[in-house]
Amino acid sequence: MVSRVIPVDDFDLVIFGGTGDLARRKILPGLFRRFCSGQMPKDARIIGAARSDMDDAGFRQMVRDAIAEFGGKNATECDELDAFLAALHYVTIDARGEGGWSELAGKMRSGVVRAFYFSVGPGLFGDLAQRLKTHNLADDDSRIVVEKPFGRDLASAKALNKDLATYFDESQIYRIDHYLGKETVQNLMAVRFGNVLFEPLWNSQYVDHIQITVAETVGVGGRGGYYDKSGAMRDMVQNHLMQLLCLIAMEPPSKFDPDAVRDEKLKVIRALDPVDSHHIVRGQYAADGDKNSYRDDVENPKSFVESFIAMKVHLSNWRWAGTPFYLRTGKCMKARSSEITVVFKDAPHSIFGADEGRHRNVLSIQLQPNEGMTLDVTIKEPGPGGMRLVDVPLDMTFADALGPEAEDVPDAYERLIMDVIRGNQTLFMRGDEVEAAWAWTDPLIEGWQARNDVPKPYEQGSNGPEDALMLMHRDGRRWREIKG
Ligand code: NAP
């Protein structure tokens, strides 16, 4: 099967923070891949902007090095690097100053899509939005892309939304959650809404529970200062896990259109119940030999901020009343794995007798390290030995079914940037969604702060604190094994 690459319209993309970690690791190598695939028009321009004093040649060299380091096999296999680098430019700009803007204007063309990627801290979003307008760089068709974190609570998210809304219409604002750009996340929607098979079973009558795990093996690394003001709830649950929950739980939208999809996601967030404190387990990774503890890493010996969180949440609506959703995410865990698991209920009666034990259909959607989907079905164990049952996975991984071309799927960032150029907001969060997510999150955080809740220590390389296992064991359920 030959994959279809549909070129996007010609564009100028300005990356504020073009010298930063995210630009070097993800955005620029991703754009190079789109260039090599033929999706990025050859005339398109990419303009890096930051405070560092650099010229076009210096920026091109920086990007050449970044692609060599982070570009993967594309970096060695694609021979169009020089042509790609020729599309790059650089302007020295301080988001809070007035210098450099006319030079930027001089490097941009008219008559093409203009997109501005704010790959800088959220404290600069308002300054950039304002200066883009006052220096006449943005018109009614221009788009801005903003990175996470989008606020640290409801009040700050509202303030950010208000700042951006002063200068840009909601239809021009693209709030990135790169989890939504993953191939499998979109495939989840295709599987749910493109087949008759799943939707009739997709409710509390047939689904026992749903698990969402996002496990990382790394600690907080050099981000200790930021992380200790945030924690797993703000850094992961409020955005990534919440978005996954929305896609798995939402009602079918009337069409695959940005507002239709986002309206349904918003309803899910608004249907989330407050969470009982007994249904939340917070943890911090402990020291392990010469490996730092969380508190060492963030240089705060009294930190009560969590590097792990597990919770049981409920949705108050017709579809999901009574079906628990178990969420967990943490650092320094056993393996790097992001997975959504839908565990269906037992068959109402086993004609094979009690000896055959429990067999359940389980749909598992893996997001990383490998993307794919499997459905466990129960069959007869082949061979002699009577009627014995066994669960086998039905592999719905697209690469196997669709051939090697399907393995070469774009990374989430590349896909999302191309969506920005196309003007498609379906996979981006709307302002009201982000605010609703904070409105649910804030009281939970305030609750544990008021209780002086102390996170439970957990071993590095483990599944998190013992209490997190108990959260499910108490309900007669168990977490899926975290496998890389
Ligand atoms: P970073 O490595 O610290 O880079 C920040 C960039 O912003 C640099 O290019 C810096 O260059 C520029 N900058 C800082 N102050 C500026 C100013 N006043 N005016 C103009 N440019 C300025 O940060 P990052 O990791 O790339 O993260 C960027 C954003 O993405 C943050 O909001 C972060 O939370 C988010 N994010 C990052 C990742 C990731 O993997 N790195 C993942 C998700 C979200 P100069 O110092 O030369 O100005």
Side-chain angles (χ1 to χ4, degrees), residues 173-243:
I173 304 171
Y174 290 73
R175 295 173 194 78
I176 279 219
D177 185 320
H178 69 275
Y179 271 65
L180 294 182
K182 289 187 177 289
E183 181 77 11
T184 313
V185 167
Q186 289 157 79
N187 203 15
L188 167 63
M189 287 194 269
V191 165
R192 271 197 70 188
F193 304 128
N195 296 284
V196 291
L197 211 58
F198 294 101
E199 207 45 33
L201 307 178
W202 210 262
N203 55 52
S204 59
Q205 205 183 333
Y206 293 102
V207 175
D208 178 74
H209 72 276
I210 290 174
Q211 303 184 18
I212 303 177
T213 294
V214 177
E216 298 177 285
T217 48
V218 293
V220 298
R223 294 167 71 222
Y226 155 76
Y227 196 91
D228 203 41
K229 292 192 195 74
S230 165
M233 184 70 169
R234 287 191 171 100
D235 192 48
M236 298 297 289
V237 178
Q238 186 274 343
N239 38 59
H240 304 317
L241 276 82
M242 186 86 90
Q243 287 296 320

XYZ file of all heavy atoms in Angstrom, residues 173-243:
571
model
N -6.178 29.919 17.216
C -5.304 29.483 18.318
C -5.235 27.958 18.351
O -6.261 27.277 18.471
C -5.819 30.025 19.673
C -5.946 31.557 19.608
C -4.894 29.604 20.808
C -6.656 32.172 20.806
N -4.030 27.410 18.267
C -3.805 25.957 18.246
C -3.046 25.565 19.517
O -1.838 25.759 19.602
C -3.006 25.577 16.988
C -3.808 25.735 15.715
C -4.099 27.006 15.211
C -4.290 24.628 15.037
C -4.856 27.156 14.062
C -5.041 24.773 13.882
C -5.322 26.045 13.406
O -6.082 26.196 12.267
N -3.778 25.031 20.506
C -3.135 24.599 21.755
C -2.708 23.148 21.580
O -3.548 22.273 21.432
C -4.089 24.728 22.948
C -4.486 26.155 23.259
C -5.558 26.226 24.337
N -6.152 27.549 24.393
C -7.077 27.993 23.524
N -7.523 27.207 22.567
N -7.557 29.218 23.640
N -1.405 22.932 21.612
C -0.873 21.593 21.286
C -0.952 20.646 22.476
O -0.601 21.021 23.597
C 0.609 21.708 20.850
C 0.687 22.121 19.390
C 1.367 20.426 21.110
C 1.750 21.460 18.576
N -1.469 19.448 22.247
C -1.211 18.329 23.144
C -0.725 17.217 22.221
O -1.508 16.652 21.457
C -2.492 17.883 23.879
C -2.178 16.794 24.892
O -1.350 15.927 24.564
O -2.740 16.804 25.990
N 0.579 16.940 22.275
C 1.128 16.067 21.229
C 0.561 14.650 21.301
O 0.650 13.901 20.335
C 2.660 16.071 21.235
C 3.279 15.411 22.416
N 3.495 16.069 23.593
C 3.717 14.156 22.587
C 4.053 15.231 24.440
N 4.199 14.057 23.867
N -0.061 14.285 22.425
C -0.683 12.954 22.489
C -1.783 12.826 21.436
O -2.026 11.755 20.911
C -1.253 12.689 23.890
C -0.223 12.052 24.783
C 0.925 12.756 25.130
C -0.373 10.756 25.246
C 1.890 12.182 25.914
C 0.596 10.168 26.039
C 1.728 10.879 26.366
O 2.687 10.304 27.129
N -2.439 13.946 21.157
C -3.528 13.901 20.176
C -3.019 13.727 18.750
O -3.779 13.392 17.850
C -4.367 15.181 20.257
C -5.143 15.378 21.558
C -5.955 16.651 21.487
C -6.054 14.197 21.822
N -1.720 13.978 18.566
C -1.154 13.841 17.218
C -0.699 12.426 16.925
O -0.240 12.136 15.819
N -0.807 11.553 17.900
C -0.312 10.189 17.673
C -1.263 9.427 16.742
O -2.473 9.549 16.849
C -0.159 9.453 19.006
C 1.018 10.004 19.808
C 1.284 9.194 21.034
C 2.486 9.723 21.771
N 3.751 9.468 21.063
N -0.656 8.634 15.871
C -1.427 7.868 14.889
C -2.504 7.021 15.578
O -3.663 6.983 15.166
C -0.452 6.979 14.104
C -1.080 6.149 13.028
C -1.412 6.959 11.779
O -0.986 8.110 11.651
O -2.139 6.411 10.933
N -2.106 6.357 16.654
C -3.043 5.428 17.294
C -4.214 6.142 17.933
O -5.304 5.589 18.035
C -2.305 4.593 18.357
O -1.113 4.124 17.766
C -3.105 3.435 18.821
N -4.000 7.358 18.390
C -5.096 8.104 19.002
C -6.167 8.377 17.948
O -7.365 8.234 18.196
C -4.564 9.410 19.639
C -5.688 10.332 19.994
C -3.734 9.075 20.866
N -5.709 8.709 16.750
C -6.694 8.911 15.685
C -7.292 7.594 15.231
O -8.464 7.505 14.883
C -6.031 9.627 14.525
C -5.744 11.055 14.895
C -4.660 11.602 14.051
O -4.911 11.971 12.913
N -3.456 11.625 14.575
N -6.457 6.559 15.272
C -6.957 5.240 14.897
C -8.043 4.792 15.877
O -8.998 4.119 15.494
C -5.794 4.247 14.889
C -6.085 3.062 14.021
O -7.008 3.079 13.204
N -5.332 2.001 14.212
N -7.892 5.206 17.128
C -8.910 4.878 18.133
C -10.275 5.429 17.697
O -11.302 4.758 17.811
C -8.484 5.473 19.481
C -9.517 5.506 20.585
C -9.937 4.097 20.960
C -8.954 6.207 21.813
N -10.259 6.650 17.171
C -11.531 7.226 16.707
C -12.050 6.463 15.488
O -13.243 6.213 15.370
C -11.353 8.712 16.399
C -11.221 9.523 17.678
S -11.414 11.288 17.385
C -9.731 11.742 17.108
N -11.126 6.063 14.609
C -11.548 5.297 13.427
C -12.159 3.967 13.862
O -13.219 3.559 13.359
C -10.354 5.055 12.503
N -11.517 3.307 14.817
C -12.026 2.006 15.275
C -13.380 2.182 15.950
O -14.324 1.439 15.693
C -10.991 1.344 16.227
C -11.612 0.195 17.004
C -9.802 0.847 15.421
N -13.495 3.193 16.791
C -14.762 3.413 17.502
C -15.889 3.790 16.558
O -16.988 3.268 16.666
C -14.614 4.554 18.529
C -14.149 4.116 19.873
C -14.429 5.198 20.903
N -15.855 5.361 21.185
C -16.364 6.332 21.925
N -15.575 7.234 22.464
N -17.658 6.410 22.134
N -15.626 4.735 15.672
C -16.726 5.324 14.920
C -16.805 4.845 13.463
O -17.704 5.233 12.739
C -16.641 6.852 14.974
C -16.613 7.367 16.395
C -15.628 8.249 16.811
C -17.562 6.952 17.322
C -15.597 8.714 18.130
C -17.534 7.406 18.638
C -16.554 8.289 19.041
N -15.845 3.994 13.051
C -15.881 3.484 11.683
C -16.349 2.043 11.610
O -16.429 1.471 10.531
N -16.632 1.433 12.759
C -17.061 0.035 12.801
C -18.360 -0.069 13.589
O -18.557 0.670 14.547
C -16.013 -0.818 13.533
C -14.683 -0.848 12.803
O -14.527 -1.517 11.804
N -13.723 -0.080 13.312
N -19.191 -1.036 13.226
C -20.392 -1.228 14.048
C -20.083 -2.124 15.251
O -20.838 -2.187 16.203
C -21.562 -1.883 13.271
C -22.111 -0.930 12.245
C -21.140 -3.194 12.641
N -18.950 -2.787 15.179
C -18.625 -3.819 16.152
C -18.486 -3.303 17.585
O -18.955 -3.921 18.534
C -17.287 -4.419 15.707
C -16.992 -5.855 15.998
C -18.051 -6.741 15.372
C -15.621 -6.197 15.396
N -17.825 -2.177 17.745
C -17.466 -1.755 19.098
C -18.513 -0.864 19.759
O -18.762 -0.979 20.951
C -16.123 -1.013 19.077
C -14.986 -1.911 18.682
C -14.473 -1.885 17.397
C -14.455 -2.815 19.592
C -13.441 -2.729 17.029
C -13.421 -3.665 19.233
C -12.912 -3.618 17.942
N -19.098 0.042 18.993
C -19.917 1.082 19.604
C -21.068 0.528 20.464
O -21.321 1.038 21.550
C -20.392 2.070 18.526
C -20.674 3.470 19.030
C -19.627 4.044 19.981
O -18.426 3.744 19.866
O -20.032 4.808 20.879
N -21.773 -0.538 20.030
C -22.867 -1.031 20.880
C -22.376 -1.548 22.238
O -23.136 -1.626 23.194
C -23.460 -2.181 20.055
C -22.995 -1.962 18.675
C -21.688 -1.255 18.753
N -21.094 -1.930 22.300
C -20.549 -2.489 23.551
C -19.835 -1.425 24.383
O -19.346 -1.708 25.474
C -19.536 -3.593 23.219
C -19.998 -4.705 22.288
C -18.869 -5.680 22.028
C -21.182 -5.444 22.918
N -19.757 -0.236 23.835
C -18.910 0.800 24.411
C -19.663 1.569 25.511
O -19.953 2.748 25.381
C -18.481 1.747 23.283
C -17.156 2.403 23.469
C -16.924 3.657 23.952
C -15.875 1.863 23.148
N -15.583 3.923 23.959
C -14.911 2.828 23.465
C -15.437 0.635 22.628
C -13.547 2.626 23.284
C -14.082 0.439 22.446
C -13.160 1.417 22.765
N -19.995 0.908 26.579
C -20.753 1.565 27.649
C -20.669 0.717 28.916
O -20.101 -0.375 28.907
C -22.216 1.748 27.215
C -22.818 0.429 26.790
O -22.753 -0.550 27.520
N -23.399 0.383 25.594
N -21.286 1.221 29.973
C -21.126 0.571 31.286
C -21.792 -0.806 31.335
O -21.490 -1.604 32.210
C -21.686 1.471 32.385
O -23.036 1.726 32.125
N -22.685 -1.069 30.386
C -23.315 -2.388 30.407
C -22.315 -3.488 30.040
O -22.401 -4.613 30.529
C -24.476 -2.379 29.413
C -25.538 -3.390 29.754
C -26.621 -3.393 28.684
O -26.858 -2.386 28.006
N -27.266 -4.529 28.530
N -21.383 -3.175 29.165
C -20.444 -4.188 28.687
C -18.991 -3.938 29.093
O -18.168 -4.836 28.998
C -20.523 -4.297 27.159
C -21.849 -4.843 26.707
C -22.837 -4.008 26.198
C -22.139 -6.199 26.839
C -24.068 -4.507 25.823
C -23.370 -6.704 26.467
C -24.334 -5.857 25.961
O -25.555 -6.355 25.605
N -18.677 -2.711 29.496
C -17.282 -2.426 29.853
C -17.156 -2.465 31.371
O -17.869 -1.755 32.081
C -16.838 -1.050 29.299
C -15.429 -0.708 29.783
C -16.895 -1.042 27.783
N -16.250 -3.320 31.850
C -16.042 -3.434 33.300
C -15.300 -2.204 33.816
O -15.697 -1.583 34.790
C -15.241 -4.698 33.600
C -14.953 -4.835 35.082
O -15.890 -5.170 35.821
O -13.800 -4.560 35.511
N -14.201 -1.886 33.157
C -13.454 -0.684 33.548
C -12.483 -0.324 32.434
O -12.251 -1.125 31.514
C -12.708 -0.888 34.867
C -11.521 -1.795 34.757
N -11.613 -3.165 34.822
C -10.206 -1.520 34.571
C -10.414 -3.698 34.684
N -9.542 -2.726 34.528
N -11.922 0.871 32.558
C -10.937 1.349 31.578
C -9.698 1.816 32.335
O -9.816 2.439 33.398
C -11.545 2.486 30.727
C -12.626 1.880 29.816
C -10.482 3.202 29.904
C -13.432 2.853 29.009
N -8.531 1.465 31.810
C -7.282 1.898 32.447
C -6.513 2.786 31.471
O -6.476 2.484 30.281
C -6.382 0.705 32.747
C -6.972 -0.355 33.604
C -5.948 -1.461 33.921
O -4.740 -1.287 33.774
N -6.466 -2.585 34.389
N -5.916 3.827 31.998
C -5.004 4.634 31.173
C -3.696 4.767 31.947
O -3.682 5.257 33.081
C -5.581 6.034 30.868
C -6.942 5.906 30.167
C -4.603 6.836 30.016
C -7.635 7.232 29.873
N -2.620 4.284 31.362
C -1.301 4.356 32.014
C -0.343 5.126 31.124
O -0.264 4.848 29.924
C -0.721 2.933 32.232
O -1.539 2.234 33.169
C 0.697 2.990 32.759
N 0.343 6.085 31.702
C 1.455 6.732 31.002
C 2.655 6.640 31.936
O 2.742 7.372 32.932
C 1.148 8.205 30.645
C 2.361 8.847 29.975
C -0.064 8.299 29.719
N 3.538 5.689 31.653
C 4.688 5.447 32.535
C 5.964 5.878 31.843
O 6.158 5.600 30.661
C 4.753 3.964 32.882
N 6.814 6.554 32.597
C 8.111 6.973 32.055
C 9.206 6.321 32.888
O 9.019 6.100 34.095
C 8.271 8.494 32.162
C 7.248 9.290 31.380
C 7.436 10.788 31.588
O 7.077 11.281 32.671
O 7.944 11.440 30.694
N 10.343 6.040 32.272
C 11.450 5.464 33.048
C 12.376 6.557 33.583
O 13.103 6.340 34.537
C 12.292 4.514 32.166
O 12.574 5.194 30.946
C 11.548 3.230 31.883
N 12.300 7.731 32.971
C 13.202 8.811 33.386
C 12.661 9.532 34.629
O 11.460 9.492 34.904
C 13.389 9.843 32.253
C 14.131 9.229 31.088
C 12.045 10.409 31.800
N 13.576 10.186 35.343
C 13.159 11.027 36.465
C 12.898 12.439 35.971
O 12.672 12.653 34.775
N 12.964 13.416 36.867
C 12.651 14.783 36.414
C 13.833 15.432 35.692
O 13.678 16.464 35.049
C 12.175 15.706 37.575
C 10.908 15.169 38.184
C 13.251 15.898 38.609
N 15.006 14.789 35.767
C 16.177 15.284 35.036
C 16.466 16.735 35.364
O 16.360 17.161 36.512
N 16.791 17.510 34.328
C 17.147 18.908 34.546
C 15.932 19.814 34.728
O 16.080 21.028 34.861
N 14.716 19.236 34.722
C 13.509 20.081 34.810
C 13.005 20.198 36.246
O 11.839 20.539 36.472
C 12.383 19.487 33.964
C 12.638 19.483 32.482
C 11.621 18.602 31.779
N 10.277 19.174 31.754
C 9.155 18.468 31.979
N 9.214 17.192 32.267
N 7.976 19.057 31.923
N 13.866 19.898 37.226
C 13.440 19.841 38.631
C 12.735 21.099 39.113
O 11.704 21.029 39.786
N 13.292 22.252 38.751
C 12.719 23.520 39.208
C 11.288 23.681 38.734
O 10.384 24.022 39.502
N 11.070 23.403 37.441
C 9.709 23.498 36.880
C 8.817 22.417 37.488
O 7.711 22.681 37.950
C 9.757 23.340 35.344
C 8.457 22.839 34.758
C 7.371 23.699 34.622
C 8.298 21.505 34.378
C 6.154 23.235 34.115
C 7.093 21.039 33.876
C 6.027 21.906 33.753
O 4.835 21.446 33.263
N 9.342 21.189 37.519
C 8.487 20.059 37.885
C 7.988 20.170 39.317
O 6.836 19.825 39.620
C 9.252 18.732 37.685
C 8.327 17.552 37.669
C 7.789 17.087 36.478
C 7.938 16.922 38.853
C 6.904 16.028 36.456
C 7.052 15.869 38.841
C 6.545 15.420 37.636
O 5.655 14.374 37.623
N 8.840 20.668 40.204
C 8.438 20.698 41.615
C 7.349 21.742 41.876
O 6.730 21.759 42.934
C 9.661 20.933 42.516
C 9.403 20.419 43.932
O 8.803 19.335 44.065
O 9.779 21.123 44.889
N 7.107 22.592 40.901
C 5.971 23.527 41.030
C 4.741 22.953 40.344
O 3.673 23.555 40.346
C 6.324 24.869 40.383
C 7.396 25.632 41.118
C 7.460 27.069 40.582
C 8.726 27.765 41.010
N 9.923 27.311 40.282
N 4.927 21.802 39.725
C 3.851 21.260 38.907
C 3.392 19.907 39.446
O 2.309 19.788 40.016
C 4.404 21.157 37.472
O 3.608 20.372 36.686
N 4.230 18.882 39.294
C 3.846 17.538 39.729
C 3.087 16.807 38.627
O 2.674 17.394 37.624
N 2.905 15.496 38.863
C 2.326 14.637 37.821
C 0.906 15.046 37.463
O 0.477 14.926 36.322
C 2.359 13.185 38.295
N 0.156 15.549 38.441
C -1.231 15.925 38.158
C -1.291 17.052 37.126
O -2.007 16.967 36.134
C -1.894 16.374 39.471
C -3.354 16.692 39.309
S -4.312 15.180 39.017
C -5.942 15.798 39.212
N -0.511 18.090 37.385
C -0.556 19.230 36.446
C 0.185 18.908 35.150
O -0.230 19.314 34.072
C 0.103 20.462 37.080
C -0.719 21.112 38.166
C -0.076 22.459 38.518
N -0.922 23.235 39.390
C -0.763 23.330 40.694
N 0.221 22.681 41.297
N -1.569 24.069 41.417
N 1.314 18.189 35.282
C 2.179 17.969 34.127
C 1.600 16.945 33.152
O 1.839 17.041 31.950
C 3.569 17.499 34.618
C 4.610 17.536 33.522
O 4.696 18.571 32.831
O 5.335 16.531 33.336
N 0.867 15.967 33.661
C 0.414 14.865 32.798
C -1.097 14.633 32.811
O -1.698 14.407 31.767
C 1.094 13.545 33.227
C 2.589 13.538 33.097
S 3.174 13.739 31.404
C 2.741 12.174 30.690
N -1.695 14.622 34.011
C -3.110 14.222 34.084
C -4.007 15.294 33.480
O -4.869 15.002 32.648
C -3.539 13.924 35.540
C -5.027 13.562 35.592
C -2.708 12.796 36.124
N -3.807 16.533 33.893
C -4.704 17.613 33.463
C -4.757 17.752 31.938
O -5.763 18.191 31.402
C -4.237 18.935 34.107
C -5.149 20.105 33.875
C -4.881 20.830 32.563
O -3.825 20.659 31.954
N -5.838 21.638 32.137
N -3.693 17.362 31.265
C -3.696 17.517 29.814
C -3.716 16.165 29.093
O -4.750 15.752 28.570
C -2.494 18.366 29.365
C -1.252 18.039 30.193
O -0.787 16.912 30.227
N -0.719 19.033 30.879
N -2.585 15.429 29.124
C -2.491 14.226 28.288
C -3.505 13.142 28.685
O -4.233 12.616 27.844
C -1.085 13.632 28.357
C 0.000 14.583 27.992
N -0.087 15.431 26.917
C 1.205 14.832 28.545
C 1.015 16.153 26.835
N 1.814 15.812 27.815
N -3.532 12.788 29.971
C -4.432 11.690 30.356
C -5.894 12.096 30.182
O -6.738 11.312 29.771
C -4.152 11.211 31.795
C -3.008 10.189 31.875
C -1.661 10.877 31.877
C -3.122 9.280 33.075
N -6.159 13.350 30.464
C -7.528 13.858 30.315
C -7.957 13.814 28.846
O -9.094 13.464 28.532
C -7.557 15.300 30.819
C -8.892 15.880 30.852
S -9.680 15.461 32.375
C -9.192 16.810 33.400
N -7.053 14.149 27.946
C -7.390 14.120 26.518
C -7.659 12.681 26.063
O -8.591 12.432 25.297
C -6.253 14.743 25.693
C -6.166 16.260 25.821
C -7.398 16.954 25.273
O -7.937 16.578 24.246
N -7.871 17.966 25.972
